[in-house]
Amino acid sequence: EGCNDEYHIYCLDPPLPAVPQGDWFCDKCKPQFTTDEAKDGLELEVAALPPNFTSRFGEIVWAAGGVGFGWWPACIYDPRLTVGSARQLARKNLGKKHLVYFFECQDAPFSVLQNSKLCDWEQGLVDDFHIGKAARSAGKARTLQFEHALQAAMVEHGKPVEIRLEWNHQDHE
């Protein structure tokens, strides 16, 4: 429960496109109802990181995915957008390794990798990573998974960095 103030979605700054699902708090009540994630200090820890580390958040890359995966389409993920085990993993490695989201890997979508296990998107295309040699050698299912991952990464790469993976930004401010 927050205050009893009432708001029109179109009068807010910025206006909301629709009535929010679930709980919504006005700006003056929001600080009282923050999540445990917002209280864990990660925001401050990330703010203390050097810009050469944080500037990579949202970058679409090729990531070393291991046996049967090879170089896989991925995104260097902003740890502030995470919850649960991915958030714990990110905090444990913050500043040393990047939290990486592997496209279309439902079983284990997140990992932490050093820069040496990441390759610039364009360089990976030059090096033919988009062919997916390791995925193809692992079979038809892995090849299809790789093709879907590649397609998703290409869509995200075409977006401005601030709205990449926007499906996961909706509750983060």
Side-chain angles (χ1 to χ4, degrees), residues 130-143:
H130 62 286
I131 294 172
K133 291 178 189 175
R136 292 186 191 293
S137 67
K140 194 174 195 175
R142 184 67 51 79
T143 300

Side-chain angles (χ1 to χ4, degrees), residues 136-162:
R136 292 186 191 293
S137 67
K140 194 174 195 175
R142 184 67 51 79
T143 300
L144 186 59
Q145 183 183 17
F146 178 84
E147 289 170 356
H148 287 156
L150 180 60
Q151 183 179 20
M154 289 170 46
V155 167
E156 293 300 323
H157 188 263
K159 296 178 183 177
V161 70
E162 61 274 2

Side-chain angles (χ1 to χ4, degrees), residues 80-96:
R80 296 170 294 189
L81 300 174
T82 59
V83 295
S85 61
R87 191 174 185 91
Q88 292 169 357
L89 182 66
R91 287 194 78 207
K92 181 179 176 184
N93 294 279
L94 198 61
K96 298 175 276 197

Side-chain angles (χ1 to χ4, degrees), residues 21-37:
Q21 296 293 319
D23 294 332
W24 178 86
F25 299 102
C26 69
D27 288 339
K28 88 184 151 175
C29 292
K30 199 178 288 185
Q32 300 172 34
F33 297 95
T34 57
T35 64
D36 288 341
E37 283 82 14

